[in-house]
Amino acid sequence: MKTIVVTDIHGCLEELESVLAQAGFDSEADKLICLGDLMDRGPYSFGVFDRFRSLKRKMGERCIMILGNHDDMMMNSFYDPVVYARWMRNQGQTTLDSFEEHHCDLEKQLRWFHEMCPYYENEDAIFVHAGLVHEKPEENSLHDLIWDREMAHGRQYDGKLVIFGHTETEEVTYRSPDSTKLQLLPGETYELPKQGCINMDTGCVYGQKLSALVIENGTIRVYQQNRKSQK
């Protein structure tokens, strides 16, 4: 069994399917971790939701869905007009349009989104949408976990390996405890670090690429798909 990590899909369904195929994703055996931000901005928000909904039904606990700031905004916008306005400023209308196109009432699907977790931890790493402010994940507020950018912007961190997204970077990037940066390039195999952090958001919805990180037998490997979908 291998673990495949994706993040910040933002409605880029074709690119998601491509990186999963490149990574040799096997829904019968593998673990899949999504670090959040399924929707908004891109063209196929309903399709991304529907794909993960189907995978979660099939895979159960082997499909880990982590809450992102866009997922949280979407859920709370139905109860709070201030949050709704913020969601619209962050292109939430693309999600409403996508669900309407497929005759699916988004509000009726909120229960599924409420099952997303704020972070996930196993023996390899801590998985979270935006990063950590405090070394122990349980000591972070939800705002820290889904919005904060300190880790992405270089705050020194020497705790257990954290894998996150949220803040766009040119390539999947590992930063060691002494703040040395290493770009993790497709086609290369790297030893799985014990400490430091890995930023996986390579800006697919902004015209760059979607990345998948495969963890297997103490190694990591990156697969990528350049942005294809335009609408």
Side-chain angles (χ1 to χ4, degrees):
M1 181 180 73
K2 59 184 177 290
T3 297
I4 301 173
V5 189
V6 292
T7 191
D8 294 271
I9 300 158
H10 287 297
C12 296
L13 179 61
E14 295 178 64
E15 294 81 358
L16 171 65
E17 297 292 6
S18 178
V19 294
L20 290 179
Q22 290 177 51
F25 171 57
D26 180 358
S27 62
E28 299 289 344
D30 293 336
K31 177 177 286 186
L32 178 63
I33 302 175
C34 177
L35 305 181
D37 280 9
L38 303 184
M39 307 186 302
D40 299 345
R41 305 188 194 277
Y44 305 116
S45 288
F46 173 81
V48 173
F49 156 74
D50 196 45
R51 178 68 161 124
F52 277 107
R53 178 174 61 173
S54 178
L55 287 170
K56 185 66 177 174
R57 286 173 180 163
K58 180 177 183 178
M59 298 173 65
E61 293 183 356
R62 289 184 295 108
C63 181
I64 311 296
M65 303 301 302
I66 294 171
L67 184 70
N69 61 306
H70 280 259
D71 312 308
D72 187 65
M73 273 192 294
M74 180 275 294
M75 288 189 292
N76 288 304
S77 69
F78 287 92
Y79 315 116
D80 187 331
V82 175
V83 177
Y84 178 81
R86 181 192 302 163
W87 187 42
M88 289 298 103
R89 290 195 299 271
N90 283 276
Q91 300 184 36
Q93 188 63 48
T94 60
T95 294
L96 292 175
D97 291 345
S98 183
F99 274 71
E100 182 177 349
E101 182 180 344
H102 289 84
H103 310 290
C104 181
D105 187 337
L106 176 57
E107 189 171 6
K108 291 182 178 179
Q109 309 305 320
L110 294 185
R111 181 186 220 175
W112 187 88
F113 289 93
H114 279 288
E115 293 179 0
M116 299 174 86
C117 55
Y119 66 89
Y120 171 72
E121 182 175 4
N122 63 14
E123 65 276 9
D124 293 323
I126 300 164
F127 302 86
V128 64
H129 180 64
L132 301 182
V133 174
H134 307 286
E135 187 171 318
K136 294 181 179 180
E138 65 272 17
E139 294 179 355
N140 292 264
S141 68
L142 181 61
H143 185 276
D144 294 337
L145 298 171
I146 68 174
W147 282 101
D148 194 83
R149 298 186 191 272
E150 287 187 21
M151 181 167 277
H153 289 162
R155 180 178 56 81
Q156 189 168 4
Y157 172 77
D158 59 4
K160 182 176 180 177
L161 179 67
V162 173
I163 300 177
F164 68 99
H166 183 55
T167 301
E168 182 184 348
T169 186
E170 184 177 346
E171 297 288 349
V172 176
T173 302
Y174 168 66
R175 195 172 70 252
S176 67
D178 66 1
S179 295
T180 300
K181 286 186 177 182
L182 173 67
Q183 290 186 335
L184 306 180
L185 302 177
E188 302 290 334
T189 300
Y190 304 88
E191 183 178 350
L192 176 67
K194 301 291 187 186
Q195 296 175 291
C197 57
I198 297 174
N199 184 353
M200 285 191 57
D201 180 6
T202 46
C204 183
V205 78
Y206 299 112
Q208 296 189 59
K209 55 215 170 192
L210 189 69
S211 298
L213 183 74
V214 174
I215 303 172
E216 186 175 25
N217 298 326
T219 67
I220 51 176
R221 190 175 179 89
V222 171
Y223 297 87
Q224 292 180 330
Q225 173 60 57
N226 290 334
R227 175 76 189 274
K228 297 190 294 185
S229 303
Q230 303 290 335
K231 189 173 180 179

